[in-house]
Amino acid sequence: MNKNELAKLLKEHHKDAFLWASHCCHYSQEEGKEVLQRTYLKIVEKKAVYKEKATFKTWLFSVIRFTAIDYLKKKKAYESLEKVKIGVEDTPFEIHTIDYKKLLKQLPERQHQVLLLAFYHEMTLAEIATITQLHIGTIRTHYERGKEAMRTLVLKENV
């Protein structure tokens, strides 16, 4: 793959890559920027090379994930979570505010990652298996258990 093709693909996936880097850094946009920059450096310096075994996005997300893991191991700092408001403000009934990021953080790390990739980044379970380097059956298990755990946590929040 030549530099122009690589640059085009990186530009095409930049927004999703930044969101994934931020998610990998516990929702910190500043750390996400740092991780994404380090990822791009790895790619430019050919420390990470796309071998076309998976889709480019899947490969890129995998590189970002491992870069974030290394970065956070060195940094050991986490940002606070933001609240997500659900509901219509002009309605006469009570509006529930559910902090979905907080609920996601209560899940085991693998379930958290699988749900983020599946729902926020619209990836298939096979693509997630490639990114996380886990067997597809393991990913299915984390996906199903994560959905059930989130359902339970949301129901507890609404009580």
Side-chain angles (χ1 to χ4, degrees), residues 16-28 31-32 35-36 60-73 77-78 105 109 112-113 116-117 121 131:
D16 286 336
F18 171 69
L19 290 172
W20 175 238
S22 296
H23 287 292
C24 289
C25 293
H26 308 283
Y27 305 100
S28 168
E31 288 180 343
V35 165
L36 193 57
L60 178 61
F61 274 40
S62 181
V63 175
I64 292 168
R65 178 176 172 266
F66 287 111
T67 303
I69 289 169
D70 292 341
Y71 175 78
L72 291 174
K73 278 182 186 175
Y78 304 102
K105 291 298 287 178
E109 183 64 25
H112 179 167
Q113 285 183 347
L116 282 175
L117 289 169
H121 296 286
I131 289 170

Side-chain angles (χ1 to χ4, degrees), residues 48-145:
V49 178
Y50 178 53
K51 297 178 182 173
E52 300 182 26
K53 292 182 179 179
T55 66
F56 183 80
K57 184 176 180 180
T58 301
W59 172 80
L60 178 61
F61 274 40
S62 181
V63 175
I64 292 168
R65 178 176 172 266
F66 287 111
T67 303
I69 289 169
D70 292 341
Y71 175 78
L72 291 174
K73 278 182 186 175
K74 292 175 185 170
K75 185 152 176 41
K76 300 265 183 184
Y78 304 102
E79 290 289 322
S80 63
L81 302 171
E82 301 169 7
K83 296 232 180 214
V84 178
K85 210 173 198 180
I86 302 297
V88 181
E89 294 183 18
D90 298 331
T91 58
F93 55 86
E94 183 181 339
I95 297 172
H96 294 282
T97 301
I98 298 175
D99 188 349
Y100 287 100
K101 289 182 182 179
K102 179 181 173 189
L103 296 181
L104 272 172
K105 291 298 287 178
Q106 293 178 29
L107 298 178
E109 183 64 25
R110 291 280 190 217
Q111 291 175 11
H112 179 167
Q113 285 183 347
V114 169
L115 292 181
L116 282 175
L117 289 169
F119 291 107
Y120 289 102
H121 296 286
E122 300 174 354
M123 295 186 128
T124 66
L125 296 181
E127 291 172 327
I128 296 168
T130 301
I131 289 170
T132 58
Q133 296 181 342
L134 295 172
H135 189 271
I136 185 73
T138 304
I139 295 301
R140 284 188 185 110
T141 301
H142 288 305
Y143 178 74
E144 291 302 325
R145 289 180 182 169

